[in-house]
């Protein structure tokens, strides 16, 4: 799995219909309303690399909720990471 920046991950999630919202304290909430998916990440600066454990958890949750399957998640992440 690639090591995307927070900005790259946010753009990919937005493209999948996941909306970023201010979260509690020092977190960012991400919501995919159609599937009822809500996830939280600690706030990052845009250039900061997202931790692999967070990526694995996001990938699993989005797959389980029918937003995007794991393989496609990896492909999208790879495409965006290479383009940035």
């Amino acid at each position: 799995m690639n090591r995307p920046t927070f900005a790259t991950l946010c753009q990919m999630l937005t493209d999948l219909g996941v909306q970023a919202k201010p979260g509690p304290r020092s977190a960012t909430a991400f919501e995919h309303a159609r599937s009822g998916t809500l996830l939280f990440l600690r706030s990052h600066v845009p250039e900061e690399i997202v931790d692999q454990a967070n990526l694995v958890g996001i990938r699993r949750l989005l797959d389980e909720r029918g937003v995007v399957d794991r393989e496609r998640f990896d492909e999208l992440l790879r495409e965006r990471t290479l383009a940035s």
Side-chain angles (χ1 to χ4, degrees), residues 2-84:
N2 291 315
R3 298 190 40 98
T5 64
F6 186 66
T8 299
L9 177 63
C10 287
Q11 184 59 55
M12 187 184 94
L13 292 173
T14 298
D15 292 347
L16 291 170
V18 179
Q19 304 252 330
K21 301 179 176 192
R25 296 189 182 181
S26 61
T28 302
F30 294 92
E31 180 180 23
H32 187 263
R34 193 177 57 197
S35 68
T37 302
L38 183 63
L39 59 98
F40 296 90
L41 281 177
R42 72 167 177 80
S43 294
H44 293 69
V45 295
E47 307 81 25
E48 187 175 354
I49 300 296
V50 178
D51 182 85
Q52 289 294 309
N54 287 326
L55 293 174
V56 169
I58 292 167
R59 180 180 65 176
R60 182 180 58 80
L61 182 61
L62 294 180
D63 180 41
E64 289 174 356
R65 296 298 191 121
V67 177
V68 64
D69 67 44
R70 294 172 195 222
E71 292 79 21
R72 183 65 182 144
F73 180 92
D74 289 342
E75 288 172 17
L76 292 170
L77 197 59
R78 187 173 25 261
E79 290 168 6
R80 282 163 178 77
T81 302
L82 291 173
S84 53

